Amino acid sequence: VAEQIANEIKTGGNPAGIAVIARRHADLEKLLPFLAQRDIAVEYERRQNILSSEPVQILELLARVVLGIAYRDDNLVDSLLPELISHPAWQIEPRDLWQIGLSANRQRKFWLEIMLEYPGKTCEIAEWLIVMGAVARVNPLEFVLDRLTGNESSDDDFTSPIYQHFFNPEKLRLDPNAYLKYLSDLTTLRQVIRDYRNDDEQLKLDDFIEIIDSYRSLGRQITSVQKISSCTKCVQLLTA
């Protein structure tokens, strides 16, 4: 296909008038390296279900833990906390994670209790989670989401590492496509939240989880659309 397009352009064909239509977006992505080898510029839209996007997933998991703390659902928090703090954004060493789990099992305590007994960062994370449980009960959703992502400065001793993990300058330099995709995913999520509420309604973190659960229960996707183009006269890549 790439060779056929290259020959068409060499014989005077207008790249903007050429389109490749595939059934799945993954098929188009497989074609991209072959087009790049032939210096063929392309334009396409990347559609992504943001519920499967890594920063959205960790934000959802963090929100569930914080709500569990807020409403004293200790068993729920204990079931979710190991997965949450295992994410590299928190920078907790695997040995420490193992030790926390071992201590919780031996002492018959919750993970959060054991984390509070640890010095340094691990204790700071636990204390911050508890504070966020209180914050989430009384503050508007968007304010809470800013605190949970680390996109809002505060007087807390600890700041969520999520935003810095996904959107630091080094990530932008090394993988700008992933950086922009994740940014688009979070922007789409915010817009869905704004569209969900009435003008006089103030949403809370509970509503955030309710929105996500409602989409999943109905088998619906929250789709982020990112337009990718390398020129004004490009071959169009489309999905049927």
Side-chain angles (χ1 to χ4, degrees), residues 32-103:
L32 289 174
F34 299 99
L35 295 171
Q37 288 173 3
R38 292 160 177 81
D39 295 322
I40 299 172
V42 299
E43 177 179 281
Y44 69 102
E45 286 186 346
R46 174 181 288 158
R47 294 178 178 270
Q48 167 82 17
N49 178 19
I50 68 170
L51 296 181
S52 61
S53 173
E54 187 181 352
V56 174
Q57 287 183 330
I58 189 175
L59 180 59
E60 177 193 349
L61 183 59
L62 175 56
R64 291 185 188 276
V65 168
V66 166
L67 284 175
I69 292 172
Y71 295 109
R72 288 305 309 271
D73 191 341
D74 298 328
N75 290 323
L76 175 66
V77 173
D78 208 51
S79 68
L80 298 179
L81 201 50
E83 180 183 356
L84 175 67
I85 65 173
S86 295
H87 192 279
W90 304 98
Q91 297 183 343
I92 298 179
E93 294 294 331
R95 183 180 182 279
D96 291 333
L97 293 169
W98 176 81
Q99 188 64 55
I100 292 169
L102 182 64
S103 299

Side-chain angles (χ1 to χ4, degrees), residues 152-187:
E152 175 74 22
S153 60
S154 69
D155 296 330
D156 297 340
D157 294 331
F158 181 86
T159 299
S160 170
I162 293 176
Y163 193 86
Q164 181 62 22
H165 176 78
F166 289 104
F167 301 110
N168 64 69
E170 186 68 5
K171 288 289 177 71
L172 177 60
R173 184 182 69 83
L174 293 176
D175 194 350
N177 285 337
Y179 184 102
L180 294 174
K181 183 180 82 68
Y182 289 154
L183 192 61
S184 175
D185 293 341
L186 290 181
T187 301

Side-chain angles (χ1 to χ4, degrees), residues 53 190 200:
S53 173
R190 296 274 188 161
D200 59 346

